[in-house]
Amino acid sequence: MKKREALWFYIMVSPWIFGFLVFTLGPMVYSAYLSLTEWDLFNAPKFVGLQNYIDLFTKDRIFWKTVGNTFYYGLTSMVLGMICALLIANLLNKPLPGMRVYRTLLYIPATVPVVASSLLFIRLLAPDAGLVNQFLALFGIDGPPWLLSTVWVKPALILMSLWGVGGGVTLLVAGMKGIPMEFYEAAAIDGANSRQQFWYITLPMLSPVIFFNLVMGLIGSLQTFTEVYIVTGGGPNNASKMIVPYLFDNAFRWYKMGYASAIAWVLFFIALIFTTLVFRSSSLWVYYESEVKK
Amino acid sequence: MNLRVPVNPLQRTTSAEIERLRKLTPLGWLTEILKYTVLTLLTVTYILPFFWMVSSALKNDSQVYVVPPIWIPSPAYWENFVNAWASQPFNLYVWNTVWLYAIPATVGIVLSSAIVAYGFSRIKWPGRETLFYLCLATMMVPFQVQMVPLFMIFKQFGWIDSFLPLIVPAFFGSPFYIFMLRQFFMTIPAELSDAARIDGANELDILFRIILPLSRPALTVVALFAFIGAWNDYLGPLIYVHDNSKLVLALGVENMRRAMMFNSTISNAYPYLMAVSTIVVLPILIMFFFGQKTFIEGISMTGIKE
């Protein structure tokens, strides 16, 4: 019986194991090797030791700028996105007529492909004729030149990312629907108002979903590519250039495959450090019901 | 990483909510109204850019750049949709996106992820948890680490300029979807499979005859996510598929923009771009609107774990 189970287990899991070895682990090992070489795709790779990393850490000013930009953009858009999503989901979580319509309307932006939303935002954020600045002008505010300004280009991209917050909202609403009503009833009997109910019931019960969103959002924002590639091309003056677009340029525009691989590995370690931090901290703020049950 | 959302049969019902509202004090009413107002304002803000996109699609050059902006163009140029669509071989791009990429990739992801998730959730085996965490950990590896070597491997295979580099890996399970389906499968009582095993069914029978039919909402969500992912994918086709006759929609739209950017004599460039963008969004929108119930049900259920 045991043997039979083991056999079936490995049969069922084998597609993933095969995929992991061929499409993940193999390429990772190969890319680790490539990061130690100089290679233009056409001539044989030339082994250069740690030279790529040394260049990356000591000479390449642009790379460090892209790291800074990625952090600025990633962290801000993630935190603001989470707050917005929580706020909206909390307002949406009512069994009243009309919520379905609100939910669909709020989800629409999340369905717009990045290519389309990028084209849209290029116009929305235009310095004079753009909708955003026209709106600000109604209040007598002279809007910034957004995508053309080294200072405002990142907030502009963050604004754009907040537009697509609907996916996170859907996950949170689904999570809120699963919180047992008795909790709220008990809290109401004890005299908790709706704000206290949110802080002491909704938020802790949602923390696994928030945690999941946070990890996914972190990994996703470190890998931001399409928005930057289409909307700004990394400009002006590299103010919006991020790690992955820079990696892409190195690999597929300048054919510096070795150097690009080194960048990818630095990116991997940054991602690793941050996800580890989030995971480590999770025991402090993520609440799992089963922990209490046991 | 345990995403669990306990689903409760005692959902707050509409009548209970109305009952609650009836009992509210005037101040409570004020808060409720305030909440609705905030929600409405937020929704309007969110929908405005989308509305702007559709409205821009109906304008001509003289209406697009007018300040203050025209919200409802008059006359509306509905023919923009037809003309914009005809300006590039978009039918071909849709065909490529759907039949050459999205559908094969979705089938691959759903099938393989379901099989693997079954192994990770319904067969007890000592090494299971370790392997599962390894599977989850691969989600942390940025795709870019594998990007260059994968490109080289697929080049060796002669797969560049075909969709194989995007489809074949889909048949080997995707950690994110494996995770979602595993969470769902774990909620199905073990007695069901045990009974089938006693009747002589093997694991594949159990998966296809018992587990999958019970998992329709979760499978729908995975299929929808996978399809939307492929429909919107930009980086993948950008790297592997360069042949003009095999362009996908996302790249087609971007190419159209580049063509128009470098040739300012083309009239109605912006309305055309917005028209095409609107058409690209439409199928996803329709899918979400009609699938909303299954969608939310599926998402909330993929979180459950006993």
Side-chain angles (χ1 to χ4, degrees):
Chain A
M1 198 65 192
K2 266 265 160 282
K3 220 172 176 180
R4 186 182 156 271
E5 284 192 340
L7 184 69
W8 273 109
F9 173 71
Y10 285 110
I11 289 175
M12 303 296 256
V13 180
S14 62
W16 172 72
I17 294 180
F18 181 83
F20 169 69
L21 294 176
V22 176
F23 299 121
T24 307
L25 194 64
M28 278 177 82
V29 173
Y30 191 39
S31 125
Y33 161 72
L34 281 184
S35 76
L36 304 175
T37 66
E38 207 170 80
W39 188 34
D40 60 1
L41 274 180
F42 306 106
N43 303 304
K46 193 175 104 203
F47 189 81
V48 293
L50 290 173
Q51 196 55 47
N52 286 329
Y53 291 95
I54 293 168
D55 287 350
L56 210 50
F57 279 91
T58 56
K59 282 195 200 142
D60 197 338
R61 285 239 188 91
I62 295 176
F63 174 70
W64 288 105
K65 202 166 180 179
T66 66
V67 172
N69 289 340
T70 311
F71 275 106
Y72 178 167
Y73 168 80
L75 292 179
T76 321
S77 65
M78 207 170 64
V79 171
L80 288 180
M82 187 57 78
I83 294 172
C84 282
L86 264 173
L87 183 76
I88 296 172
N90 194 39
L91 290 170
L92 274 180
N93 185 33
K94 279 194 193 351
L96 287 181
M99 284 306 148
R100 222 184 134 102
V101 178
Y102 277 117
R103 210 153 55 201
T104 308
L105 288 178
L106 283 164
Y107 190 73
I108 285 178
T111 63
V112 178
V114 186
V115 174
S117 66
S118 300
L119 299 180
L120 181 62
F121 270 80
I122 293 173
R123 285 281 310 151
L124 289 180
L125 295 168
D128 293 318
L131 214 54
V132 176
N133 280 356
Q134 296 257 335
F135 178 74
L136 291 175
L138 290 180
F139 303 94
I141 301 168
D142 194 12
W146 298 109
L147 300 172
L148 305 178
S149 144
T150 49
V151 180
W152 286 98
V153 68
K154 284 185 289 277
L157 288 171
I158 291 165
L159 205 66
M160 194 179 142
S161 80
L162 290 182
W163 196 53
V165 90
V169 171
T170 311
L171 278 175
L172 289 173
V173 169
M176 284 177 177
K177 287 214 169 304
I179 302 175
M181 205 44 222
E182 297 94 314
F183 289 7
Y184 293 104
E185 281 158 5
I189 290 168
D190 289 345
N193 63 30
S194 61
R195 195 190 307 144
Q196 287 167 325
Q197 290 181 11
F198 175 77
W199 284 104
Y200 296 110
I201 299 173
T202 312
L203 213 54
M205 290 297 286
L206 273 183
S207 56
V209 186
I210 296 174
F211 175 65
F212 179 78
N213 274 2
L214 209 61
V215 173
M216 287 300 148
L218 181 77
I219 297 167
S221 63
L222 282 175
Q223 298 180 30
T224 307
F225 173 76
T226 315
E227 299 88 320
V228 174
Y229 196 70
I230 296 178
V231 177
T232 66
N237 191 21
N238 292 325
S240 66
K241 186 154 257 176
M242 300 195 199
I243 301 176
V244 175
Y246 187 57
L247 189 160
F248 185 90
D249 279 349
N250 271 290
F252 297 101
R253 243 165 111 186
W254 306 321
Y255 299 111
K256 289 158 78 176
M257 291 293 174
Y259 199 64
S261 302
I263 296 175
W265 275 92
V266 176
L267 173 65
F268 177 52
F269 278 106
I270 294 174
L272 203 64
I273 291 167
F274 273 81
T275 20
T276 314
L277 281 177
V278 176
F279 266 84
R280 278 283 162 82
S281 75
S282 71
S283 64
L284 297 176
W285 62 273
V286 179
Y287 166 78
Y288 291 117
E289 214 182 346
S290 54
E291 287 166 10
V292 179
K293 272 184 192 157
K294 281 171 192 167
Chain B
M1 186 153 47
N2 257 335
L3 175 73
R4 295 165 323 100
V5 185
V7 168
N8 173 22
L10 294 170
Q11 247 306 310
R12 209 182 337 182
T13 57
T14 310
S15 55
E17 178 69 14
I18 290 167
E19 188 59 30
R20 187 183 72 86
L21 286 176
R22 198 175 287 153
K23 285 183 198 150
L24 283 177
T25 57
L27 189 70
W29 269 106
L30 209 66
T31 335
E32 287 300 314
I33 292 167
L34 195 72
K35 276 185 193 165
Y36 255 102
T37 318
V38 172
L39 186 60
T40 310
L41 279 178
L42 265 171
T43 311
V44 169
T45 319
Y46 261 81
I47 213 66
L48 267 185
F50 185 76
F51 185 77
W52 174 252
M53 180 163 114
V54 180
S55 121
S56 300
L58 297 169
K59 295 173 184 173
N60 69 5
D61 274 338
S62 66
Q63 295 166 318
V64 165
Y65 300 101
V66 175
V67 178
I70 303 170
W71 285 98
I72 298 168
S74 163
Y77 294 89
W78 290 97
E79 63 269 29
N80 280 355
F81 283 101
V82 181
N83 295 339
W85 197 254
S87 73
Q88 304 263 327
F90 278 115
N91 282 329
L92 176 72
Y93 298 161
V94 171
W95 176 271
N96 292 344
T97 313
V98 173
W99 292 103
L100 301 185
Y101 182 15
I103 288 183
T106 306
V107 170
I109 285 177
V110 172
L111 198 70
S112 60
S113 301
I115 293 175
V116 176
Y118 182 91
F120 277 136
S121 59
R122 316 240 1 138
I123 304 176
K124 286 209 174 66
W125 184 247
R128 188 176 89 178
E129 300 306 307
T130 320
L131 267 185
F132 180 64
Y133 282 114
L134 182 65
C135 175
L136 282 188
T138 59
M139 273 198 281
M140 315 293 156
V141 184
F143 166 67
Q144 288 73 25
V145 175
Q146 298 122 287
M147 194 164 82
V148 172
L150 279 178
F151 180 80
M152 295 320 301
I153 294 169
F154 294 136
K155 205 177 164 195
Q156 289 289 319
F157 290 172
W159 285 2
I160 301 303
D161 266 338
S162 80
F163 285 90
L164 290 172
L166 302 169
I167 295 168
V168 173
F171 278 84
F172 294 94
S174 150
F176 181 72
Y177 300 117
I178 292 173
F179 171 64
M180 276 181 86
L181 289 174
R182 171 189 176 266
Q183 300 296 96
F184 190 89
F185 290 169
M186 291 188 83
T187 64
I188 300 170
E191 291 81 8
L192 280 177
S193 354
D194 291 342
R197 274 187 202 120
I198 290 166
D199 290 343
N202 68 34
E203 303 294 327
L204 276 175
D205 290 334
I206 299 174
L207 172 64
F208 283 100
R209 301 241 176 95
I210 298 174
I211 305 294
L212 290 190
L214 285 173
S215 310
R216 288 230 338 247
L219 293 173
T220 312
V221 171
V222 170
L224 264 178
F225 276 2
F227 188 89
I228 294 176
W231 179 267
N232 291 347
D233 188 13
Y234 179 80
L235 182 58
L238 181 68
I239 297 173
Y240 297 119
V241 190
H242 311 124
D243 189 346
N244 268 333
S245 68
K246 285 181 187 149
L247 279 189
V248 294
L249 214 43
L251 283 169
V253 177
E254 172 62 5
N255 278 5
M256 181 178 171
R257 180 184 77 100
R258 296 216 166 171
M260 289 177 160
M261 227 169 57
F262 294 116
N263 185 353
S264 53
T265 57
I266 298 174
S267 60
N268 289 337
Y270 193 68
Y272 277 19
L273 274 173
M274 289 297 110
V276 171
S277 301
T278 309
I279 301 175
V280 172
V281 178
L282 230 47
I284 309 285
L285 219 59
I286 294 168
M287 268 198 274
F288 181 74
F289 190 76
F290 287 105
Q292 196 182 157
K293 206 165 159 258
T294 327
F295 208 59
I296 295 216
E297 188 189 351
I299 291 175
S300 61
M301 284 168 89
T302 43
I304 333 166
K305 191 184 141 198
E306 286 293 304

